[in-house]
Amino acid sequence: MNLSKPIASKKATASDPIGVFDSGVGGISVLKHIQDLLPNERLLYVADSRYAPYGNKTPAEIQARCFAIADFLIAQGAKVLVVACNTATAAAIDALREHYALPIIGMEPAVKSAAEASKNGVVGILATVGTLQSAQFAALLESYGRNVEVVTQACPGLVECIERGEVDSPATRALIEGFCAPLLAHGADTVVLGCTHYPFVRDLIREVVGNQVSLVDTGAAVAKQVKNRLIETNLLAAGTGVGAVRFWTNSAALNAPAVIASLWGQSAKVDFFADGVLNTTDQDFYAGV
Ligand code: DGL
C-alpha cells in the first residue's frame, strides 16, 4: 500500500487528454469505444507490454506497474485515467483512487448484464487468473451471479498470443477451443469476455461457440462512464474536431508498433515508454524501428 500523500494533478482543463492504459494492447479495444463516443477528445494510451500478462502477477506487482504508468500519464497531462484492464482494476483501483486526486475509471467483467441477458440461466466467463481469483470478482458474483449458474474459465496464454498480434492463428484458435469447451459443455448461452484483450479474438470465439451464444464485453459501457465522469467534472472537451491519439509501449518486440496499429485499425503514432527499468540497449533497439 502506498502511504504517501495523494498527488493532486495540476488544475485539469477540458482540453487535456484522457489517459488510458492496460497490461498491453488489450485496452485498445476500450480505447476504440472511447474514440467512437468522444471523437474530439485527445487520447493517450500506454501498453505495458513488457510486463504483460498481468493475469499471473500478484496484486502488489500489478499495483507497482499501475502507479508507474499513472505517474507517466499524469506527467503527460492526463485529466482522467481509464484502467482499461479488468485484472489491474481488481488489483489496484482502490490503491490508485486513494493515491491520486484525478477521476479514475476502472472496469470489471460484465456479470450483471450477462446474467440479465441469459435465457437459460447459464453464463460463461472468460477472464484472467488474477481477475477470477480477486475479491472484487467474488463480490461481483455475490451481487449479480446468484440467480444464474456461472462457469468461469481462466485463459492462460491467450493474452500472449494477442500481444504478438496473433488474432487468427491456428495456435490461438486451439487455445480458444480448449477454453470454450467447458462453457459449452455446461450449456452457457451467454459468454463474458472478461479481459480487454479478448474482443480482439471475438471472431474466433464466435466461430468456436457458434451463433446461438451471446458474447458480452464492457468496452461500450466503460466509454459511457468516461463520458459521464467528464460531464460531472466539467472536463468534457469542447469542439467538433478529431482529437489526436498517442500510444506508448515498453515492449522490446520489433513489431510492437505494427501490432498496435493493426489492432487500432488506423495509423498509430507509437513511442517508447521508458520507466526506469529498461536499459539503453532496449531503447536503441527500439529506436531503429
Ligand atoms: N487486458 C487485461 C484484462 O482486462 C489483462 C490481461 C493480462 O495482462 O493478463 O484483464
Side-chain angles (χ1 to χ4, degrees), residues 22-24 26-27 52-56 84-88 107 128 131 159 194-197:
D22 176 43
S23 64
Y54 281 180
N56 56 9
C85 176
N86 296 269
T87 315
M107 58 194 300
T128 68
T131 296
V159 161
C195 165
T196 55
H197 282 72

Side-chain angles (χ1 to χ4, degrees), residues 78-140:
K79 60 184 173 184
V80 297
L81 294 182
V82 182
V83 185
C85 176
N86 296 269
T87 315
T89 298
I93 197 92
D94 293 344
L96 289 168
R97 286 184 176 143
E98 205 176 298
H99 185 71
Y100 297 101
L102 78 177
I104 303 178
I105 294 107
M107 58 194 300
E108 53 193 16
V111 177
K112 182 170 186 268
S113 45
E116 286 166 3
S118 175
K119 293 197 171 62
N120 70 358
V122 186
V123 167
I125 302 186
L126 300 172
T128 68
V129 172
T131 296
L132 295 177
Q133 288 181 348
S134 67
Q136 282 81 353
F137 183 71
L140 205 55

